[in-house]
Amino acid sequence: MSSLLKSIGIGAVVIAVLYLVNQMMSATGFFGVGIDDYQARLLVFIGINIILATSLNLINGFTGQFSIGHAGFMAVGAYSSAYFTVTYGRSLEATFAGLGETVASSIVLLIAILIGALVAAVAGLIVGIPSLRLKGDYLAIVTLGFAEIIRIVILNIDAVGGATGYQVPGYANFLWIGIFAVITVVVIHNIVKSDAGRALVSIREDELAAEAMGVNTTRYKVTSFVIGSSFAGVAGVLFAHYNKFLSTNDFQFIKSFEIIIMIVIGGMGSMTGAILGAIVVTLLPELLRQLPDLQVGATTFKFADLRLVIFALILILTMILRPQGILGTAEIGSFLKRFRRADKPTGGLAP
Amino acid sequence: MDTFVQQLINGLTIGSIYALIALGYTMVYGILRLINFAHGDIYMVGAYAGFMIALSLGFADNPSAMGFVVTLVGSMIIAAAIGMAIERFAYRPVRKYSKMTTLITAIGMSLLIEYLFVFFFSGTPRSFPQLLPNENITLFGNATISTSQILIFVVSIALMMVLQYIIFKTKIGKAMRAVSFNITSAKLMGINTDFVIAFTFALGSALAAAGGVLTAQYNPKIEPLMGIMTGLKAFVAAVLGGIGNIPGAVLGGLLIGAAETLVVGYGSSIGIPSTYRDAVAFAILILVLLIRPAGLLGSNVQEKV
């Protein structure tokens, strides 16, 4: 019972902190302390990227199935939920208007998230069942191909704007994005620590051995793929309803690669690593933007354009020098623990 | 009928380019079991190298056969050098690690090349100079073929014959076949495998660069990200033909090219809009991998490079 109370307490504190930050983002600020729009946007994208990175980490890092089509599922979630809110959002809001404006729009957003997650999960199932028969680089290419097909299909649906883009009502704010980032981390952490998580890790380590030990590898692989995809869908929903505009250009290969970079930098198979990677990948381009432009003759070189060059170099150098990623499969906490243990006197054994 | 012939000519033109690039994918995969993601970008590098050569040597102003040959060969040499450098500095250090590590390195390499070019040449498309006079020749009815299309056919067939000669008639070709058959035994037989792998990268990159210059003659718009889609389709071509199989890569390339233009030409009559053009290759890929992962020629042919 006390652990339940503890969880509720932690949850309340997390929500309170997120609420506080969210209030700071409003025009008036929180008791005069404000966060400007630029910083607010960065915080929001860190949240969305944490959802994307941790969910892809479940598939790539913990189950060892190399998917490079995560942006496709994000697109499915974004567009399906956006179609729902554009079509039914207003009337639903009117239905719940009696509960107050904030509650009504929150209900619409939660339904949208549910829809986005479900549709993305179904897409994950449809893609996952045939693809997961393949291994390694073939699986990678097929997921890439599926993501691109999804993008082209969406591009050809006129009901969601087609090539011109899609206007979406802005139901999502930092509070909801923060809450769902925390939910994603907690859910995936719990999956990984459960029996099912052990099965997933055993598939990563040796699929044949896992199967010999009685693990239903196909079922676990598909399940992890579906869960990962549905969280990518949630990220898509939040992105759509925060950005208020969707274009299929937001979901090209490069987006999938960006999510890969996040988990590779952090270390595949590390929760804290994925979160760290999401933060680095979101903030690094902004730091580069601070650098002045370089003028050589008639041409100007913008350092902001170097963002992907630097990511690519980090990716290659990480693979050459530390192929398991910065943290590998370890967590930040375990380093701290080891550090603390080393500090303590070891008792009577010391000479 | 005329339009069908026209579509087929256009399809085989693009298909020949895919085939040239697919050869590089298939050779590298045959030897290292590595999908060289950066290979499509080498095709782009080839086009830009040709662009720089043509501009700096003044071939752009007075078109001549000499200028075209120098541009083509020059860009092939530059691309071969870059291909070998990539292998030496990025792929060789990770060769001992898992497949996933090499694949991520290849993705990183691809991004690095693309965005270095965006940084130095900016993302704006450049116009490739016309190195040879281009005319349309009417075949029969309304079907036409342009001289740049004929050039693509002639040069790519010639290059494929050269490749065939290198692989089957020379000592280094024999070494390549040995390494692709079994790298450890090849090493025990005294073959310098590192050199053979570097040579394979050089050969594949040169073919891709030739594809880049030829495409630029046909469709003069070049940009730093042009290699992504073309590279992926060429990879699909390699898988369709049976990856690791050289005739398969050529067959796959031609089939993908033809399928793509036929969808653009006739797809709308069976409910597939022409905007699905880029999805065709991926749909083919998924079907091949699910139905016959070895590819069309994959299991029957023994010789793999």
Side-chain angles (χ1 to χ4, degrees):
Chain A
M1 198 60 200
S2 71
S3 76
L4 180 68
L5 280 177
K6 198 175 151 196
S7 309
I8 293 172
I10 293 173
V13 170
V14 166
I15 291 177
V17 169
L18 291 172
Y19 180 75
L20 213 82
V21 178
N22 193 43
Q23 286 306 105
M24 286 183 192
M25 288 176 182
S26 64
T28 49
F30 184 75
F31 293 114
V33 187
I35 294 174
D36 65 32
D37 283 351
Y38 172 69
Q39 290 162 334
R41 219 178 148 73
L42 282 183
L43 283 174
V44 161
F45 281 110
I46 287 178
I48 292 174
N49 284 341
I50 286 176
I51 302 178
L52 288 170
T54 43
S55 59
L56 185 65
N57 205 11
L58 180 68
I59 304 171
N60 288 17
F62 291 108
T63 321
Q65 305 302 307
F66 200 71
S67 158
I68 47 178
H70 217 47
F73 301 108
M74 187 188 174
V76 169
Y79 274 92
S80 59
S81 68
Y83 181 73
F84 163 77
T85 44
V86 168
T87 325
Y88 304 106
R90 287 248 169 279
S91 57
L92 265 179
E93 241 184 312
T95 319
F96 295 110
L99 300 168
E101 199 186 320
T102 326
V103 178
S105 68
S106 300
I107 291 175
V108 178
L109 179 70
L110 288 175
I111 299 174
I113 288 174
L114 206 63
I115 289 174
L118 277 177
V119 179
V122 171
L125 192 67
I126 294 170
V127 173
I129 287 177
S131 312
L132 289 165
R133 285 169 47 192
L134 305 163
K135 285 197 180 80
D137 34 14
Y138 279 112
L139 174 68
I141 292 286
V142 166
T143 50
L144 185 77
F146 266 119
E148 191 57 12
I149 289 178
I150 288 172
R151 195 179 71 82
I152 294 170
V153 168
I154 292 174
L155 193 63
N156 282 291
I157 301 176
D158 290 328
V160 292
T164 50
Y166 197 36
Q167 300 283 345
V168 184
Y171 288 114
N173 57 15
F174 177 75
L175 180 61
W176 283 116
I177 291 167
I179 288 175
F180 274 95
V182 173
I183 290 177
T184 311
V185 170
V186 170
V187 168
I188 291 180
H189 176 83
N190 286 350
I191 291 175
V192 171
K193 294 292 170 217
S194 69
D195 289 358
R198 295 282 154 229
L200 298 182
V201 172
S202 77
I203 294 173
R204 175 187 76 194
E205 294 301 328
D206 191 330
E207 198 172 329
L208 211 62
E211 203 159 358
M213 297 320 271
V215 175
N216 185 345
T217 52
T218 314
R219 212 191 98 208
Y220 278 108
K221 280 197 291 186
V222 173
T223 312
S224 116
F225 198 78
V226 168
I227 295 172
S229 312
S230 76
F231 276 109
V234 171
V237 179
L238 294 167
F239 171 75
H241 292 87
Y242 178 80
N243 203 36
K244 297 179 197 164
F245 182 75
L246 283 179
S247 150
T248 47
N249 290 338
D250 295 330
F251 306 103
Q252 284 175 326
F253 310 127
I254 196 75
K255 184 69 200 174
S256 298
F257 287 166
E258 236 178 65
I259 310 170
I260 299 270
I261 293 169
M262 291 174 206
I263 60 173
V264 169
I265 288 177
M268 293 217 263
S270 162
M271 288 297 292
T272 38
I275 297 169
L276 187 74
I279 296 171
V280 170
V281 169
T282 321
L283 292 184
L284 187 64
E286 304 307 321
L287 294 176
L288 289 174
R289 204 165 286 173
Q290 315 286 329
L291 293 171
D293 292 350
L294 185 70
Q295 188 83 31
V296 181
T299 40
T300 330
F301 293 111
K302 287 199 172 82
F303 281 102
D305 290 343
L306 274 181
R307 172 177 80 109
L308 283 155
V309 174
I310 289 175
F311 282 154
L313 277 176
I314 292 177
L315 209 54
I316 297 171
L317 289 176
T318 315
M319 285 304 110
I320 294 175
L321 303 171
R322 204 177 152 75
Q324 67 274 45
I326 291 168
L327 291 182
T329 52
E331 304 290 346
I332 290 176
S334 61
F335 285 106
L336 292 177
K337 246 181 238 160
R338 205 181 303 161
F339 188 66
R340 252 184 253 142
R341 223 172 279 149
D343 267 358
K344 275 182 194 158
T346 40
L349 285 170
Chain B
M1 187 60 198
D2 290 348
T3 46
F4 179 75
V5 172
Q6 187 67 59
Q7 298 288 359
L8 209 57
I9 291 173
N10 295 345
L12 293 179
T13 309
I14 307 174
S16 307
I17 304 289
Y18 291 157
L20 278 179
I21 306 169
L23 286 169
Y25 274 112
T26 224
M27 286 194 290
V28 167
Y29 193 90
I31 285 186
L32 287 182
R33 304 286 176 269
L34 159 73
I35 298 174
N36 181 11
F37 256 100
H39 192 61
D41 301 301
I42 295 291
Y43 152 85
M44 177 274 293
V45 170
Y48 269 88
F51 176 73
M52 295 307 282
I53 292 171
L55 281 199
S56 53
L57 298 184
F59 298 139
D61 308 320
N62 40 344
S64 66
M66 185 64 200
F68 173 75
V69 172
V70 172
T71 307
L72 183 71
V73 174
S75 90
M76 285 171 76
I77 292 171
I78 292 174
I82 293 176
M84 283 166 79
I86 291 172
E87 192 276 326
R88 178 65 191 84
F89 295 110
Y91 297 155
R92 195 176 298 179
V94 298
R95 212 189 286 159
K96 55 183 177 289
Y97 300 135
S98 75
K99 234 176 173 180
M100 230 67 288
T101 309
T102 49
L103 187 65
I104 295 171
T105 313
I107 292 175
M109 205 61 221
S110 162
L111 288 176
L112 182 67
I113 299 174
E114 283 158 18
Y115 288 93
L116 270 179
F117 271 70
V118 170
F119 184 67
F120 286 112
F121 290 92
S122 91
T124 356
R126 304 291 176 102
S127 175
F128 197 91
Q130 199 68 52
L131 298 176
L132 287 174
N134 191 17
E135 287 163 33
N136 280 334
I137 299 163
T138 310
L139 289 179
F140 48 85
N142 292 320
T144 60
I145 185 166
S146 69
T147 41
S148 61
Q149 285 178 313
I150 296 176
L151 194 68
I152 289 179
F153 291 132
V154 171
V155 174
S156 47
I157 290 170
L159 287 174
M160 286 167 200
M161 283 165 71
V162 170
L163 181 71
Q164 194 76 5
Y165 176 80
I166 291 177
I167 288 172
F168 290 102
K169 302 280 178 208
T170 63
K171 204 173 169 189
I172 181 79
K174 202 180 231 175
M176 283 168 73
R177 283 181 285 148
V179 171
S180 93
F181 197 72
N182 188 327
I183 189 161
T184 325
S185 317
K187 201 179 263 170
L188 290 172
M189 295 299 127
I191 294 172
N192 183 351
T193 48
D194 279 347
F195 175 75
V196 172
I197 291 168
F199 183 79
T200 309
F201 270 86
L203 212 55
S205 304
L207 292 176
V213 173
L214 290 171
T215 315
Q217 281 296 291
Y218 177 54
N219 172 17
K221 205 182 81 172
I222 60 171
E223 45 138 352
L225 303 183
M226 67 192 257
I228 303 178
M229 205 34 105
T230 314
L232 283 168
K233 286 178 188 166
F235 171 75
V236 175
V239 175
L240 172 63
I243 194 147
N245 180 306
I246 287 192
V250 177
L251 178 69
L254 295 176
L255 284 177
I256 296 276
E260 204 180 286
T261 39
L262 290 181
V263 162
V264 175
Y266 296 98
S268 49
S269 56
I270 53 165
I272 308 171
S274 61
T275 38
Y276 277 93
R277 172 188 186 136
D278 287 342
V280 174
F282 293 111
I284 292 177
L285 171 76
I286 289 162
L287 288 177
V288 170
L289 287 182
L290 296 180
I291 298 166
R292 194 178 157 80
L296 292 177
L297 304 183
S299 53
N300 305 333
V301 180
Q302 286 296 309
E303 263 140 354
K304 284 184 174 177
V305 165

